[in-house]
Amino acid sequence: MTNFLQALAPATRTYRDHSQPLWRRILLSREAAVIGAVLLVIIVASVSVRAFGKPITATYLLLDIAPILLIALPMTLIIITGEIDLSVASIVGLSSVTLGVLHSNGMPIEAAAVVALIVGAIAGALNGFLITIVGLPSLAVTIGTLALYRGLAVGLLGTKAVTEFSEFWTSLAKSKIGASAIPSVVIPIVILAVIFGVLLHLTPFGRGVYAIGLSAEAARFSGIHVERTKFTLFMLSGLVSALAGIYYTLRFSSARGDNATGLELSVIAAVLLGGVSIFGGRGSTLGPIAGAALIGVLASALRLANVTSDVINIITGTLLVASVVATSFLAWLHTKRIRPGKKTETLVAAKG
Amino acid sequence: MSSSTEPPTPALELNRIAKAFGAVIALTSGTLALQSGSIHALVGENGAGKSTLVKIIAGLYQRDSGEFLLDGKSVDFTSTAQSKAAGIAVIYQEPTLFPDLSVTENIFMGRQPTRSFGRIDRKRMHEEALGLFARLGVRLDPERPTLGLSIADQQLIEIAKAISLDAKVLVMDEPTAALSGIEVERLFAVARSLRDEGRALLFISHRFDEVFDLCDTVTIMRDGAYIDTSPIAETTVEQIVRQMVGRDVSALFPKEEAVIGDDVLVVEGLTEHGVFENVSFTVKSGEIVALAGLVGAGRSEIARAVFGVDPYSAGRVTIGGVTVPHRNPAAAMKLGLALVPEDRRKQGLVLETSVARNATMAIRSQLTRSGLLFTRPENAAAREWASRLEVKAAALDTEAGTLSGGNQQKVVLAKWLATKPTVLIVDEPTRGIDVGTKAEVHRLLSQLAGQGLAILMISSELPEVLGMADRVLVVREGHITAEISRADATAESVMFAATHAASEIAQ
């Protein structure tokens, strides 16, 4: 190795770590806004909706949003790379049916669950193969596999449902931590959230995820394995969706082909609401968790206030559109501000 | 001008046109006069201002100052539509047609002849298209889609379009760059017949044989300014090259003497069909080797293939005797290869992320502790390397895209020097950056070589090539056609090799 350090200037310049103080960066972050919104809804609902303050509300709320929280974790990373996975809810259904069919044919539930996880990982890997190796757009691929995996799930079990599961596992899925109102399913979710959070924020792999989302070409020129990264993420998405499928089956003691239909939209809504950019490159794991909480808390409070589900959908939908519009608007303002310099640079580059 | 009688009013005349983009001056004094019934050549190095001048003629850019006369009358185009309406047609190197529409539909796009109730008169359109091709003497089915047509045929469609608009001035911006010999002949035949119809043609080319074959007058530009115009019969290739380069180039870049060691990077028989063929060269430690040639000759493609971003179908790359795997930039980086790419904004940097993240992007795996990457060591490394390269930035979390071009390039250099490479490939290292930073980059490259780094430099700027390189490899149409030592490298010899086939150089 050559020692060329002498050719360079001594490292004596100083740079501040951040151009803005900590409080500003936190207050202006998207995560802070969503967490603030969750707290606001909780406070308003506790005061104005009669049953909302009861512990049972929190229990059901967490049981309900558990699959969304789980799948939102890999979905966050996928959307940060600029891709999307619409097949997640179908993988939930497929793993649910796999578990039910194998178990009803005499396989122990533990072994059937492992097979269901493997099926989920394979389904995710097929998505990854089509997107990274064949080179198709993820939107098209996963719309296709959304139908394919759901079709397989319904085809395997028809309109029947497998409902014979051991009491131990089904009650575990609904159990609470000690005497608290918090369901046990929160524990694996927290563990997975930490794992995904570390993966995204504290590893070279995570740095690659962000770089791919902002500029796949620059990422490739930096030695980042763009295809390998995306493939891994789609496989993880399949695996976690299968896990959510097992939970879903046990919680309702029912393996059905149409389990969790439409869940992918709630997951994507939570991720986008949590400040992850649909164009890729921006977001964190905390945001989507808060986003899922906001959707859950809002739906729960409105339901207790006897608002019908179609109205709840209208409100969540409006919230999502408003949040995406707000993000785009802020980004537009930002480009407006720095544009003069940028434009000159582009023209000069084009000249050569 | 040698003409003894008063010359007729030029069809198009530009006088002392100036154009700047922000702080970068593209044109200081562009002057050009096109006569009807004549083919006029415009030549100059890359960056001499030819393209800017053409874009002003086309109405794409507006001049900052100077005179623009059409048939003796001053004009101010603010759009390409206006210049078209005034009878100016520009044919670019790569025509932009609608691939799914037919040849005829492309010719009459936006001004289709109509019958009653605004219905398109397909029959008349078809007949007019046939008439145009008959006049040009080319055979093309007017009803086929343009998808799949060669670039030569697409250019002819553009020319047909220009004639149907009765353009008096035709500008062809490097039309032959992507054409084969026969296609060039056909294009020239068309160009001559247009000249004989009394139109004024402007022909931009890097190939002097074509300039001498086709044109009757030549204008030379350099550094954004007009240098000279002369009848083709009264000049020679040597004189034109001298006028194109025309400055004391060796004084600009004080190159340090370096001890040249053993071969470090060895490339053998690298081939990707249609892009580059059988490319072999070596770079020794302490040596700066320049890949010179015209834009589009395949130099960047070779560099990208060596680094592993682009594929190659045959050949071998080794560093210090170890084979660099095919298509795996991460593995190439581990072996000590670094590439500062051509397009800083798309390939070199992730513009929307911070200076720190960019500076540490290539060494992020080395900064981990038990697999985890924390901001503290990341910022420490970024601070060190940004400081060594004297990057001017407010803070480490400043977005790279907000820095000036020169500072962006310093961040890219920091990113790659942080990997402590043994071979550094720099592709157009000073393109679009200010003069001060340019000199800094040159000093840096020279000193890095002095410390034993092997450097492969791609540059389209002759003074940079001549000032910096220990050896010059000239690439023409995907082949290395000449290897010129520092002592023998002159603007003339490099330019000649870049524009002539290897067989002609040997003679």
Side-chain angles (χ1 to χ4, degrees), chain A residues 15-17 202 207 222, chain B residues 373 378 383 391 396 415:
Chain A
Y15 301 90
R16 278 179 289 142
D17 277 356
L202 294 177
R207 294 287 187 274
S222 305
Chain B
L373 178 56
E378 210 177 10
R383 186 173 278 118
V391 175
L396 290 177
K415 164 181 165 179

Side-chain angles (χ1 to χ4, degrees), chain A residues 2 7-9 11-13 15-19 202 204 207 214-215 217-218 221-222 224 282 344-345, chain B residues 21 304 344-345 347 349 352 357 364 372-373 378 383 386-388 391 395-397 415-416 444 447 452:
Chain A
T2 55
L8 305 173
T12 50
R13 267 172 195 263
Y15 301 90
R16 278 179 289 142
D17 277 356
H18 303 283
S19 47
L202 294 177
R207 294 287 187 274
L214 290 172
S215 170
E217 194 177 1
F221 273 88
S222 305
I224 292 166
R282 288 177 204 288
T344 312
E345 184 66 26
Chain B
F21 301 102
R304 291 206 298 264
R344 178 170 62 238
R345 301 180 62 87
Q347 302 163 341
L349 291 173
E352 290 175 82
R357 291 280 170 91
R364 64 195 197 294
L372 296 183
L373 178 56
E378 210 177 10
R383 186 173 278 118
S387 176
R388 283 190 184 285
V391 175
L396 290 177
D397 71 349
K415 164 181 165 179
W416 288 108
L444 179 70
Q447 290 178 349

Side-chain angles (χ1 to χ4, degrees), chain B residues 5 14 23 28 42 66 92 129 132 181 203 209 218 243 279 290-291 359 384 425 428 436 450 460 463 465 489 498 500:
Chain B
T5 57
L14 300 172
T28 53
L42 180 61
Y92 295 100
L132 285 170
F203 178 76
D209 47 347
V218 57
Q243 288 173 322
V279 170
L291 278 184
E384 180 191 338
I425 305 177
E428 303 288 1
S460 296
V465 168
H500 291 70

Side-chain angles (χ1 to χ4, degrees), chain B residues 126-448:
Chain B
H126 179 80
E127 278 161 8
E128 283 186 24
L130 280 178
L132 285 170
F133 288 134
R135 250 169 89 189
L136 291 173
V138 292
R139 294 164 56 88
L140 253 179
D141 175 8
E143 295 313 314
R144 66 157 292 168
T146 51
L147 185 75
L149 283 178
S150 69
I151 285 180
D153 286 339
Q154 293 183 38
Q155 285 174 345
L156 288 171
I157 295 172
E158 292 275 14
I159 293 173
K161 199 168 163 181
I163 298 168
S164 76
L165 281 164
D166 200 28
K168 295 280 182 269
V169 177
L170 255 94
V171 179
M172 298 193 274
D173 193 355
E174 293 195 52
T176 57
L179 304 194
S180 68
I182 299 164
E183 290 170 334
V184 170
E185 277 310 311
R186 189 177 60 167
L187 180 70
F188 283 6
V190 170
R192 288 191 186 99
S193 74
L194 294 176
R195 175 195 61 196
D196 297 341
E197 287 178 12
R199 298 176 208 273
L201 280 81
L202 180 65
F203 178 76
I204 297 172
S205 177
H206 279 296
R207 300 181 182 169
F208 295 121
D209 47 347
E210 294 175 359
V211 168
F212 278 83
D213 183 18
L214 181 69
C215 305
D216 33 50
T217 316
V218 57
T219 291
I220 295 122
M221 287 184 73
R222 184 175 75 221
D223 296 336
Y226 167 86
I227 298 299
D228 187 32
T229 296
S230 53
I232 215 86
E234 295 172 18
T235 188
T236 60
V237 176
E238 287 69 28
Q239 191 185 336
I240 292 177
V241 168
R242 210 173 306 127
Q243 288 173 322
M244 275 169 64
V245 182
R247 63 189 140 180
D248 190 9
V249 287
S250 52
L252 274 173
F253 310 108
K255 177 161 163 54
E256 288 190 4
E257 286 308 310
V259 182
I260 293 178
D262 299 328
D263 286 352
V264 183
L265 176 70
V266 179
V267 175
E268 292 165 294
L270 210 63
T271 299
E272 172 73 10
H273 295 292
V275 186
F276 48 84
E277 308 268 343
N278 199 19
V279 170
S280 301
F281 62 91
T282 63
V283 184
K284 297 179 170 65
S285 71
E287 190 182 34
I288 300 180
V289 174
L291 278 184
L294 304 175
V295 170
R299 299 166 303 163
S300 297
E301 288 77 0
I302 294 170
R304 291 206 298 264
V306 167
F307 186 63
V309 178
D310 282 4
Y312 51 87
S313 54
R316 203 160 81 105
V317 178
T318 58
I319 290 179
V322 184
T323 302
V324 180
H326 178 234
R327 288 223 80 174
N328 190 343
M333 284 159 63
K334 280 211 183 76
L335 290 170
L337 193 60
L339 169 68
V340 174
E342 180 183 20
D343 189 337
R344 178 170 62 238
R345 301 180 62 87
K346 282 195 186 133
Q347 302 163 341
L349 291 173
V350 178
L351 288 181
E352 290 175 82
T353 202
S354 68
V355 168
R357 291 280 170 91
N358 270 296
T360 55
M361 195 165 282
I363 52 165
R364 64 195 197 294
S365 300
Q366 296 158 31
L367 294 172
T368 55
R369 282 177 203 156
S370 36
L372 296 183
L373 178 56
F374 292 97
T375 310
R376 191 182 293 269
E378 210 177 10
N379 278 352
R383 186 173 278 118
E384 180 191 338
W385 285 99
S387 176
R388 283 190 184 285
L389 285 144
E390 302 178 301
V391 175
K392 291 190 190 70
L396 290 177
D397 71 349
T398 303
E399 269 191 26
T402 62
L403 301 182
S404 72
N407 277 299
Q408 287 181 9
Q409 189 70 330
K410 287 182 183 176
V411 175
V412 183
L413 284 163
K415 164 181 165 179
W416 288 108
L417 291 177
T419 66
K420 310 241 172 77
T422 47
V423 179
L424 178 67
I425 305 177
V426 286
D427 194 349
E428 303 288 1
T430 61
R431 176 182 285 174
I433 67 180
D434 58 284
V435 180
T437 313
K438 205 164 169 172
E440 275 183 71
V441 170
H442 289 142
R443 180 188 52 79
L444 179 70
L445 290 176
S446 174
Q447 290 178 349
L448 287 171

Side-chain angles (χ1 to χ4, degrees), chain A residues 58-328:
Chain A
T59 310
Y60 273 98
L61 181 109
L62 288 168
L63 286 173
D64 284 347
I65 65 169
I68 300 180
L69 280 172
L70 275 175
I71 304 172
L73 297 170
M75 185 70 85
T76 299
L77 273 67
I78 286 180
I79 294 184
I80 290 177
T81 64
E83 304 287 344
I84 201 158
D85 186 353
L86 296 174
S87 71
V88 286
S90 298
I91 296 177
V92 170
L94 187 60
S95 83
S96 173
V97 168
T98 308
L99 181 70
V101 168
L102 292 177
H103 185 55
S104 67
N105 284 305
M107 189 185 272
I109 195 159
E110 296 82 2
V114 170
V115 176
L117 288 177
I118 293 171
V119 166
I122 292 172
L126 177 64
N127 285 335
F129 171 80
L130 292 171
I131 291 157
T132 61
I133 302 184
V134 183
L136 302 170
S138 57
L139 186 69
V141 167
T142 58
I143 283 178
T145 53
L146 176 147
L148 172 68
Y149 299 151
R150 182 65 72 185
L152 282 174
V154 175
L156 275 172
L157 206 53
T159 51
K160 290 181 304 200
V162 176
T163 53
E164 307 296 314
F165 294 100
S166 79
E167 180 68 28
F168 173 74
W169 288 105
T170 54
S171 56
L172 181 68
K174 285 173 284 196
S175 68
K176 293 172 210 162
I177 304 171
S180 72
I182 299 167
S184 320
V185 68
V186 167
I187 295 170
I189 292 177
V190 168
I191 293 172
L192 278 175
V194 169
I195 291 175
F196 274 96
V198 167
L199 185 67
L200 179 62
H201 298 292
L202 294 177
T203 64
F205 180 88
R207 294 287 187 274
V209 168
Y210 282 105
I212 291 168
L214 290 172
S215 170
E217 194 177 1
R220 191 169 283 119
F221 273 88
S222 305
I224 292 166
H225 298 286
V226 177
E227 267 67 43
R228 201 185 293 172
T229 302
K230 287 185 182 172
F231 184 88
T232 310
L233 291 181
F234 277 97
M235 206 166 87
L236 280 176
S237 174
L239 186 68
V240 173
S241 300
L243 189 68
I246 293 165
Y247 163 77
Y248 206 99
T249 311
L250 296 176
R251 185 196 162 193
F252 295 107
S253 305
S254 169
R256 294 172 53 93
D258 62 355
N259 267 355
T261 301
L263 188 73
E264 70 279 350
L265 297 181
S266 306
V267 172
I268 292 166
V271 172
L272 299 187
L273 209 51
V276 175
S277 164
I278 189 74
F279 306 110
R282 288 177 204 288
S284 68
T285 35
L286 184 62
I289 292 171
L294 181 58
I295 291 177
V297 169
L298 200 61
S300 159
L302 292 169
R303 216 178 298 129
L304 288 170
N306 287 326
V307 175
T308 52
S309 65
D310 42 341
V311 175
I312 295 175
N313 283 343
I314 292 171
I315 292 171
T316 353
T318 311
L319 192 66
L320 179 63
V321 171
S323 80
V324 173
V325 169
T327 315
S328 305

Side-chain angles (χ1 to χ4, degrees), chain A residues 28-81:
Chain A
L28 288 177
S29 74
R30 183 59 185 265
E31 288 78 9
V34 185
I35 292 171
V38 174
L39 294 177
L40 187 73
V41 174
I42 290 176
I43 291 166
V44 170
S46 304
V47 173
S48 60
V49 181
R50 207 156 45 85
F52 189 80
K54 288 184 182 170
I56 185 100
T57 309
T59 310
Y60 273 98
L61 181 109
L62 288 168
L63 286 173
D64 284 347
I65 65 169
I68 300 180
L69 280 172
L70 275 175
I71 304 172
L73 297 170
M75 185 70 85
T76 299
L77 273 67
I78 286 180
I79 294 184
I80 290 177
T81 64

